[in-house]
Amino acid sequence: MTSSLDTSDIDRYIGVPLGRSGAVEPIHVNDIRRWAQAMRHPNPLYYDAEYAAQSRFGGIVAPQSFTVVCDAGHGARPALQGKIPESHMLFGGDEWWFFGPRIVAGDMVTVEQMAFDYRLTETRFAGPTIIQRGDNHYTNQRGEKIALQRSSAIRYRPAAARGTGAYAGLEEETEWSDEDLARLNKEKEAYIATIRGLGHGRRSWDEVNEGDELPAKVIGPHSVVSFTTEWRAYTMNAWNTMFREEYVPTEDRGFTAEMSVTGDVDLDPEFGDGAYYGASRGHLFERYARRIGMPRPYGYGASMGAWILDYLSSWAGEWGFVAHSKAQYRGPALTGDVTYLRGTVTGKETSMVAGQGAVNIAYVMTNQKDDVLSKGTAEVLLPQD
């Protein structure tokens, strides 16, 4: 059945540099604050100037997840090369390697991109499916390599996804009572207390043991409002904020007409907004969510990846560092649902970085029904005593 998806146009892009993109102006401290707010990331290191002044950084620094904000396509573009007629896409996962430099206000970050590979498979969600991967190389104005992001895109036919009924029965949102919401707020407060408890202190590699459980983090309930807040925190979604130097222009990826840009973006930039028109409108509008096989509006894959990085880095503390994370996305965060993140230390080993040891972590993201939305592994560096 996979032969029903035409991959002939993809092959010519694999391994071909796509070009360079980035913001047209330096990062502002309020960009960082806006991102922390949108990701519901309550670490004051990323928004409170007085608190951050007492940190090892001496001021507000961007969370490692902010790196994705620096791209003109939140990491998806190199995984979407080549035209597949009457198709759509969802994020399938992210793998990150971080190399050390932190992003701060005043930085100019550029991204070099290249399609990496693809494979054909069958999925319960949409039948014939292509899993395509692409690389994003993030570099600052000093030429320092910040990170490599390898994103995965699930490319499929919406008509096939509607036919499988994989998410049938999930059209109605969960109803949360006042008591339920109060309980969720208590869970959030308990998690925030772990961040504040560590504060500017060090989480030592020597004190961490295999089998240790990371504190659980809850995000939500999600809504169209919260997803819109996320979308507006990506720099690319404000008019004329990004540049793109394309070696290989690939604007037509074969998306269905209703999920494509239909107006003159140069005349009215609203057409290029992404939320109102184009491939991302399914996140915020029930009508278009259902057209692509989702039961109701759903969250952004790039945001799911950010939640993971924020979760890991807050546990590591400001003296720790997420060196590597590899996440597979298995299901959507839907409006009305909440998201839980949990992690377990699976091992420890020496590191090539002087004075730091590596901690291996397995993490899982679920909703309130314990449906798995994402699973992955990470390597976190912590200072040694």
Side-chain angles (χ1 to χ4, degrees), residues 234-276:
Y234 288 89
T235 304
M236 67 176 189
N237 295 322
W239 296 351
N240 282 39
T241 54
M242 309 294 285
F243 73 87
R244 180 180 291 169
E245 299 171 354
E246 293 190 304
Y247 306 148
V248 184
T250 52
E251 291 304 317
D252 185 4
R253 280 136 179 137
F255 292 154
T256 58
E258 60 194 345
M259 305 303 289
S260 300
V261 176
T262 57
D264 186 340
V265 175
D266 291 331
L267 179 65
D268 184 353
E270 185 173 296
F271 284 109
D273 178 84
Y276 301 144

Side-chain angles (χ1 to χ4, degrees), residues 6 97 138 179 233 246 272 275 314 357:
D6 183 359
W97 293 265
Y138 296 86
E179 292 76 14
E246 293 190 304
S314 281

Side-chain angles (χ1 to χ4, degrees), residues 331-355:
L334 299 170
T335 53
D337 285 357
V338 300
T339 296
Y340 283 92
L341 275 161
R342 298 178 176 89
T344 304
V345 175
T346 58
K348 295 169 59 176
E349 56 193 24
T350 58
S351 166
M352 296 180 65
V353 181

